[in-house]
Amino acid sequence: MNQVRDVVIVPTYNEADNIDDLVTQLLALPNQVGVIIVDDNSPDGTGRLADQLAEVNPGRVFVVHRPGKMGLGTAYIAGFHMALEELRAQRILTMDADFSHNPRYVPAMIALSTEKDVVIGSRYVPGGGAKNCTWKRVWLSKGANMFARSALGLKANDTTAGFRLYHNYVLESIPLDTVFSSGYSFLVEMLFMCQRRGWQVGEIPIIFEDRRKGQTKISRQEVFRAQYTVLRLFGRRLFSKTPRQPIA
């Protein structure tokens, strides 16, 4: 199998309208990234389109098929395992399939990764922001970030961002299969564990755009799960010892 240095993990569920354009733009980047599509048996045929993209882009596009919706966090973990164990990638990025995260920011994230262990595409640093989002979604996001930063002592400004880059040694320092959260709260838990291990986190400004096509997948239940995750991690922060940072 062709070795790729940098890979982008894209979880999908009913993203047939977006996946072809997204992968095309990612493959056109100057960084020569690979793409891992993790599809949760999308009824709209996203998985079939992903297989076609892998067939015409051997060594650059890879597909993980799962039997159904099993949560965003577990989709990322499935992608992490492929990136680390099969592709031996050195830098692993995660992003949404709906163009809320624009591929044009990937080169800047890779560039900053020469100085940082984890890089976040951030809405909440100078130059960042949101576009075409409802006021309700903006305030929900800002409130969630404020809650997570205050309760968990997180230093990053955008703690709930899914647009991230991890060095392979960062992911290898984390017991991925024991991560409790499976939904969007997985993002907060991952950042919490990265910071506790002493990894340096950097942020680049991005403009987050509300999805162009399809429907949002954030539910009220997901919001409650995120609140529970923060409270659970707050308890761990108070009563658990900080893990030692491994040598990279």
Side-chain angles (χ1 to χ4, degrees):
M1 182 178 291
N2 187 33
Q3 297 295 306
V4 288
R5 178 183 176 89
D6 307 315
V7 297
V8 182
I9 299 172
V10 183
T12 58
Y13 185 78
N14 287 348
E15 296 289 357
D17 291 338
N18 296 310
I19 193 63
D20 194 349
D21 288 344
L22 179 66
V23 170
T24 298
Q25 291 187 31
L26 286 170
L27 296 184
L29 293 173
N31 304 88
Q32 293 290 304
V33 301
V35 182
I36 298 175
I37 302 168
V38 183
D39 185 68
D40 282 357
N41 197 22
S42 301
D44 71 348
T46 302
R48 183 171 61 254
L49 292 174
D51 285 336
Q52 293 172 3
L53 288 165
E55 184 176 352
V56 299
N57 297 284
R60 295 288 303 280
V61 179
F62 311 90
V63 187
V64 177
H65 291 283
R66 307 203 303 168
K69 293 185 72 174
M70 301 165 65
L72 179 69
T74 59
Y76 280 141
I77 290 174
F80 290 156
H81 280 303
M82 172 174 274
L84 295 170
E85 298 161 15
E86 297 182 37
L87 304 182
R88 304 295 181 184
Q90 297 185 30
R91 289 176 290 213
I92 298 94
L93 294 93
T94 61
M95 68 185 300
D96 292 344
D98 58 8
F99 282 99
S100 56
H101 303 144
N102 197 300
R104 70 175 181 268
Y105 297 114
V106 168
M109 296 175 71
I110 291 176
L112 185 57
S113 73
T114 61
E115 305 172 17
K116 302 294 184 179
D117 304 303
V118 180
V119 179
I120 297 173
S122 175
R123 295 161 287 184
Y124 303 127
V125 293
K131 180 180 178 182
N132 299 328
C133 294
T134 64
W135 67 267
K136 184 177 181 180
R137 180 164 184 174
V138 170
W139 281 106
L140 177 64
S141 173
K142 289 184 176 180
N145 269 278
M146 183 179 300
F147 181 41
R149 293 182 74 226
S150 299
L152 304 180
L154 299 177
K155 298 177 182 178
N157 292 282
D158 198 339
T159 65
T160 60
F163 202 4
R164 294 184 183 173
L165 179 152
Y166 305 90
H167 279 278
N168 55 354
Y169 55 80
V170 173
L171 295 177
E172 288 167 349
S173 76
I174 295 171
L176 295 172
D177 291 323
T178 66
V179 178
F180 181 82
S181 307
S182 62
Y184 286 88
S185 54
F186 169 85
L187 301 168
V188 174
E189 184 161 357
M190 281 293 294
L191 188 58
F192 176 77
M193 290 191 290
C194 288
Q195 183 171 305
R196 280 171 62 86
R197 283 162 174 77
W199 301 122
Q200 294 298 306
V201 179
E203 295 177 88
I204 68 155
I206 70 162
I207 301 299
F208 177 94
E209 300 182 45
D210 199 14
R211 66 162 46 244
R212 299 175 183 179
K213 300 176 182 178
Q215 295 180 342
T216 183
K217 301 176 179 68
I218 300 177
S219 65
R220 181 175 297 182
Q221 185 180 32
E222 195 65 59
V223 174
F224 291 139
R225 286 176 179 171
Q227 293 173 339
Y228 169 73
T229 294
V230 172
L231 293 174
R232 177 176 54 81
L233 295 176
F234 177 69
R236 188 190 302 181
R237 181 191 179 195
L238 291 179
F239 302 112
S240 298
K241 294 182 179 180
T242 302
R244 291 183 179 180
Q245 177 183 341
I247 298 175

